Amino acid sequence: MITNGLFSLSLLQAAPTGGRTGTVLMIYLVAFGMIMWFLIIRPQRKVQERHKAMLEALKKGDEVMTDGGLIGNVVHIADDRVTLKSENTRVIVARAKIARIFSPSGES
């Protein structure tokens, strides 16, 4: 073993020299990508699809709740805006901020 300051030649010689390290690294990267897909990306896309379908089914007279917690009935629907009536007040909110549609029977 030859030592020169902080470096040791015996440690450098012990490093793997085969081509298998690249293959193993690639397998780890693919496995990590698949885990990320199934645990994070795929469920989030499903939530986005359900929200989009809920917004497309929105119609006048539905009782809705916004992300901010405002509850009211839909009075008017535009492309990206919804007018809600809550008691004697009318409020215009962004259509994407509708968080929940209550069913007519009061259950969701």
Side-chain angles (χ1 to χ4, degrees):
M1 178 169 92
I2 301 172
T3 58
N4 183 7
L6 299 174
F7 300 105
S8 172
L9 289 178
S10 64
L11 292 176
L12 294 176
Q13 291 173 352
T17 58
R20 296 185 59 157
T21 56
T23 306
V24 171
L25 178 64
M26 198 60 147
I27 290 171
Y28 283 143
L29 288 174
V30 169
F32 181 73
M34 290 177 66
I35 289 170
M36 291 295 289
W37 173 261
F38 283 108
L39 292 179
I40 297 173
I41 298 169
R42 186 169 173 248
Q44 183 62 31
R45 283 193 179 170
K46 284 187 174 186
V47 167
Q48 288 173 347
E49 289 173 5
R50 282 191 303 239
H51 188 255
K52 184 179 178 182
M54 179 194 68
L55 292 179
E56 289 174 357
L58 189 65
K59 60 188 180 302
K60 288 183 181 181
D62 284 344
E63 186 178 17
V64 297
M65 182 175 69
T66 65
D67 283 340
L70 178 68
I71 297 175
N73 292 323
V74 176
V75 177
H76 183 269
I77 299 174
D79 291 333
D80 61 344
R81 295 179 184 170
V82 177
T83 304
L84 300 179
K85 182 178 180 183
S86 180
E87 290 292 324
N88 295 329
T89 306
R90 288 184 183 225
V91 179
I92 299 174
V93 296
R95 189 176 195 153
K97 294 300 180 180
I98 302 293
R100 185 174 172 188
I101 299 175
F102 295 106
S103 65
S105 63
E107 296 179 19
S108 60

